[in-house]
Amino acid sequence: MGWRPAFAVPGCFGLLWLVVWRWLYYPPALHPRISDGERQLLAADRTGAELVGDSRLRWSDLLALPQTWGVIVAKTFTDPVWFFVADWFPIYLVAKGIDLRNGLLAVWVPFIAADLGNFFGGGISGYLIRKGWSLGAARKAVVVFGGIGVTLLIPTIFTTNLYLITALFALSTFCYASFSTIANVLPADLYPSEAVATVSGLSGTGAGLATIIAFYLIGHYSDLRQATATHAFDPIVIVAGLVPLVGMILVLLLVRNTQATRRGLVRQI
């Protein structure tokens, strides 16, 4: 059918999803499936924001908190790895000597695994909370799972087997997505409503800048290593597997209850 339908058809599905989303969306306080307890929490949060008024936290106040840097790290140390997989996985397969005509079916597998990982990260965290775990422990358990799991990218440097590479990338993206889900909810877990968007924006900015730098370096070093044939991406994949692990450690150290928690600047976790 040519390359044009590959752009047109997904674009049309995007418009269809917009219609479905608008049909299903409710403002949180009006959603028919939330409990009375959740409505009370929403009302209390709005009341708290009104009472705070002009005393809302400034950027300088937020950046002075270790929790803010933990949220920034959670995105900055994981999103570049995801975009490496999303944009470079087919190129990585070619570098491994795999004919894309044979590997085309494998290209979508890591994306499906990431979809499942998003659901798993939120679902298992909620399950642990219902079992009596604290919010912080439930969130950090998923962070540990994700940070360790992404290291499964590293063994792919030792093989040229399409199915093994695909399986390892899929497991890694599943773990990444679990970690990423928690990174996305940490601002709402930690901050009052008037600061959530600011902290989310700071973390997104960190992730965007890190991805720009990472992509420049990936292109530069993969070009330099073309003579190494199937091992051209080895150092890149090793770093991609280790960076979320470092991010995991930093999140565990930075996202904690501190003096700022006792002062009411951030919520207890």
Side-chain angles (χ1 to χ4, degrees):
M1 297 176 67
W3 60 268
R4 289 178 178 83
F7 288 85
V9 174
C12 292
F13 277 126
L15 290 172
L16 176 62
W17 170 240
L18 180 62
V19 174
V20 174
W21 176 84
R22 188 64 190 89
W23 174 49
L24 295 175
Y25 175 78
Y26 292 88
L30 302 178
H31 201 288
R33 295 183 61 186
I34 72 168
S35 66
D36 290 337
E38 288 171 315
R39 285 193 179 87
Q40 291 171 8
L41 286 173
L42 289 167
D45 203 36
R46 285 197 302 273
T47 303
E50 291 167 1
L51 292 174
V52 170
D54 293 334
S55 63
R56 66 179 60 190
L57 293 171
R58 298 167 298 178
W59 284 26
S60 57
D61 299 324
L62 292 168
L63 290 171
L65 301 173
Q67 293 91 337
T68 302
W69 288 103
V71 174
I72 293 171
V73 163
K75 292 287 285 182
T76 302
F77 282 59
T78 55
D79 274 16
V81 177
W82 165 249
F83 287 109
F84 164 63
V85 175
D87 289 355
W88 292 81
F89 183 51
I91 301 171
Y92 183 60
L93 294 179
V94 171
K96 283 288 188 179
I98 296 168
D99 188 339
L100 273 187
R101 288 173 296 181
N102 300 324
L104 204 56
L105 190 64
V107 171
W108 57 267
V109 173
F111 295 90
I112 298 298
D115 289 338
L116 297 174
N118 284 135
F119 285 106
F120 175 82
I124 196 66
S125 179
Y127 172 79
L128 293 174
I129 291 170
R130 290 193 297 274
K131 286 295 182 180
W133 288 44
S134 69
L135 177 65
R139 300 299 196 226
K140 289 179 180 180
V142 180
V143 168
V144 171
F145 170 80
I148 293 174
V150 178
T151 61
L152 290 171
L153 287 174
I154 297 173
T156 64
I157 69 176
F158 301 112
T159 181
T160 57
N161 182 282
L162 171 64
Y163 300 106
L164 184 55
I165 291 172
T166 302
L168 289 169
F169 263 77
L171 290 170
S172 298
T173 56
F174 180 93
C175 295
Y176 152 80
S178 300
F179 190 155
S180 179
T181 298
I182 301 305
N184 286 330
V185 301
L186 280 177
D189 286 339
L190 289 165
Y191 294 92
S193 59
E194 68 274 6
V196 170
T198 300
V199 176
S200 297
L202 290 170
S203 68
T205 300
L209 292 174
T211 301
I212 291 169
I213 295 168
F215 268 41
Y216 172 78
L217 294 175
I218 290 168
H220 178 71
Y221 284 105
S222 61
D223 284 346
L224 288 179
R225 292 179 52 83
Q226 281 186 351
T228 59
T230 60
H231 295 284
F233 279 84
D234 285 5
I236 297 166
V237 172
I238 291 170
V239 172
L242 292 177
V243 166
L245 183 66
V246 174
M248 174 204 82
I249 295 169
L250 291 174
V251 170
L252 297 180
L253 292 173
L254 293 168
V255 178
R256 65 188 193 279
N257 296 321
T258 62
Q259 183 66 31
T261 313
R262 292 183 284 275
R263 290 166 55 199
L265 298 177
V266 291
R267 294 186 174 119
Q268 185 172 357
I269 192 166

